[in-house]
């Protein structure tokens, strides 16, 4: 499997960096974002390293989308958000900070005024871990 030794998400896939995993299969991994833009913010990645949308294969993209749908359903059951976005960023102007293809699964609260380039702010790690346990029940 294609891997970049300097990539933080490849390290998460390999278990070299800890994460709050929600789901994994042979091709994809879902885990909590540690800088949540909103409560329940999760990420879905292919296990294989691909930089961005241009680089990911159609087959892996489809698998990633399927996992994102699974996670979205679990988030909906756990948090009953007012809405939910799938967001995917390519390149610095689009606020891509990790160069390993990923999809944000982002619960929304009515009038949360979340902007597209929302910025990174470390969340409450213990609370994120507890929430991950509640979401996993629904996957
Ligand atoms: P993007 O800005 O679209 O590249 O999103 C990258 C996301 O990865 C950001 O929302 C970060 O908060 C998140 N992130 C970076 N490092 C980690 C990590 N070690 N564990 C969980 N999420 C991370
Ligand atoms: Zn990677």
């Amino acid at each position: 499997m294609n891997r970049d030794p300097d990539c933080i998400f490849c390290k998460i896939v390999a278990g070299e960096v800890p994460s709050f995993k929600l789901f994994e299969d042979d091709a994809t991994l879902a885990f909590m974002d540690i800088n949540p833009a909103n409560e329940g913010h999760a990420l879905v990645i292919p296990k294989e390293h691909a930089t961005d949308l241009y680089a990911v294969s159609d087959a892996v993209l489809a698998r990633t989308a399927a996992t994102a749908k699974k996670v979205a359903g679990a988030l909906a059951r756990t948090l009953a958000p007012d809405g939910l976005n799938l967001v995917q960023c390519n390149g610095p102007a689009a606020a891509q900070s990790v160069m390993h293809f990923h999809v944000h699964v982002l619960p929304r609260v009515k009038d949360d005024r979340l902007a597209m380039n929302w910025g990174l702010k470390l969340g409450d790690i213990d609370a994120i871990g507890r929430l991950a346990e509640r979401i996993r029940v629904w996957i």
Side-chain angles (χ1 to χ4, degrees):
M1 190 171 287
N2 193 20
R3 173 183 180 175
D4 176 344
D6 298 322
C7 170
I8 182 84
F9 286 177
C10 284
K11 289 180 183 172
I12 286 176
V13 169
E16 295 161 11
V17 166
S19 68
F20 296 111
K21 280 185 195 174
L22 297 175
F23 174 81
E24 71 179 313
D25 57 22
D26 59 310
T28 67
L29 173 67
F31 56 97
M32 302 301 287
D33 196 307
I34 55 168
N35 304 293
N38 265 344
E39 187 183 30
H41 185 172
L43 298 170
V44 180
I45 65 171
K47 288 187 168 175
E48 186 173 287
H49 183 86
T51 309
D52 53 23
L53 182 64
Y54 311 111
V56 73
S57 72
D58 290 356
V60 170
L61 178 63
R63 296 290 303 274
T64 307
T67 298
K69 181 175 177 181
K70 205 184 276 290
V71 170
L75 282 168
R77 285 164 179 252
T78 308
L79 295 172
D82 298 323
L84 181 144
N85 286 122
L86 295 185
V87 181
Q88 193 278 315
C89 310
N90 301 282
Q96 184 178 12
S97 60
V98 176
M99 298 299 144
H100 178 130
F101 177 81
H102 53 279
V103 175
H104 297 263
V105 187
L106 188 48
R108 298 299 303 270
V109 180
K110 192 171 183 300
D111 299 326
D112 62 18
R113 302 178 67 87
L114 205 58
M116 188 68 102
N117 292 10
W118 53 74
L120 302 182
K121 187 166 167 281
L122 189 65
D124 176 337
I125 297 298
D126 290 340
I128 293 170
R130 286 194 298 274
L131 181 55
E133 280 175 30
R134 289 172 53 206
I135 298 165
R136 269 196 296 270
V137 170
W138 294 106
I139 294 189

